[in-house]
Amino acid sequence: MPELPEVETVMRGLRAVLEGRRIVAAETTRPDMRWPFPEGLARRITGATVTGFRRRGKYILARLDTAESLLIHLGMSGRMVARPEAAPAVPWMGPQGAYSDARGHNWSRMHPHDNPPDTHEHFRLRTEDGTRIGFVDPRRFGCVDLMPTAAEDAHKLLAGLGPEPLEAGFTPAALSAALEGRLVPMKAALLDQGVVAGLGNIYVAEALFRARISPRRLAHTIPGARAARLVPAIRAVLEEAIGAGGSSLRDYVRADGELGRFQDRFAVYDREGQPCPSCPGAAGGCAGVVRIVQSGRSTFYCPRLQR
DNA sequence: CATTAGCCCTGAGAGC
DNA sequence: TGCTCTCAGGGCTAAT
């Protein structure tokens, strides 16, 4: 469930090992993930130097010096796993000692999900300095594509995205305009990547909680004062989550194997029946966090605080 | 046009 | 212990 904070964290991990480096080999281990890999993927990126990274919503973009950009979406269960070429096949089973490479990067904390390391590694590349980077995605909801760098934002998957929530264009006025007249529940509206890019089930729940807005409230009632609360709430939860390295839940793990820690700070997500952190408790008339299903997905909220 | 349901896929966890 | 069942959900396409 990589959402914006997890994707941002993964992108930073990739930047640390890939930016400024040349790709000396690449391979795919099957013909497709969500969609077929782009024609000639390995050939087109081999020999290229990665000049920079950016994130757009839940997409990672790596610019190459070939005038093409590599697009990566982690889907539901995608992970990027980086390790030195010379790393033992199963380092977590060996002695506990850390070993660092020449740049001081610590490779000792491989995640148990990497056992065995090549399972579900559908795409991998190697850099000139001996780092191997694999795209592991058991469910294969993720995807990889290549496009001209000059036309990044025209890519079919990026063209319809709404504003970046952490950039200046995401204002109460802009959010209000996007929600005007819409008859869907706020839960669905914020999951719509065309309204704002990068939110998923977790951060929609957490942002709505912080803004004291019910996930069931219809979107067209938000413009105005509620939008003015919601924009800073979305920003704050995303920034805090990025600061914590994202949330580690089931599948997600950072490229360097360290775990994100934001899941320890969830107020409502996956906390059905537990006390609402901002309510006075049962004596104050709060029955705790409630779980409902909206369009087939779990929604968590406090009915007392969120209206 | 706006909205919703179905679908892809595998692993984790619950229940028996 | 081991089997089966349910659930997790991002984002597409098809249907309403």
Side-chain angles (χ1 to χ4, degrees), chain A residues 63-113:
Chain A
R63 288 191 303 277
L64 309 177
D65 65 353
T66 55
E68 288 196 303
S69 292
L70 188 66
L71 177 79
I72 294 169
H73 191 284
L74 300 172
M76 265 297 301
S77 55
R79 293 180 291 119
M80 304 300 303
V81 178
R83 63 172 186 265
E85 195 75 62
V90 259
W92 54 91
M93 291 180 66
Q96 190 58 5
Y99 59 103
S100 301
D101 66 15
R103 291 188 306 282
H105 191 87
N106 187 337
W107 300 93
S108 63
R109 290 281 306 279
M110 300 294 284
H111 192 272
H113 281 147

Side-chain angles (χ1 to χ4, degrees), chain A residues 135-204:
Chain A
F135 188 175
V136 178
D137 184 8
R139 267 165 275 190
R140 301 204 303 274
F141 285 8
C143 66
V144 172
D145 204 1
L146 272 175
M147 72 259 216
T149 297
E152 276 181 3
D153 290 319
H155 190 279
K156 183 184 171 186
L157 296 171
L158 304 184
L161 294 179
E164 279 296 316
L166 298 179
E167 292 180 7
F170 184 59
T171 62
L175 180 61
S176 293
L179 298 178
E180 199 73 51
R182 294 194 58 172
L183 296 176
V184 289
M186 276 308 288
K187 162 66 176 280
L190 292 182
L191 282 178
D192 182 345
Q193 303 297 297
V195 169
V196 55
L199 298 182
N201 212 32
I202 293 172
Y203 297 104
V204 166

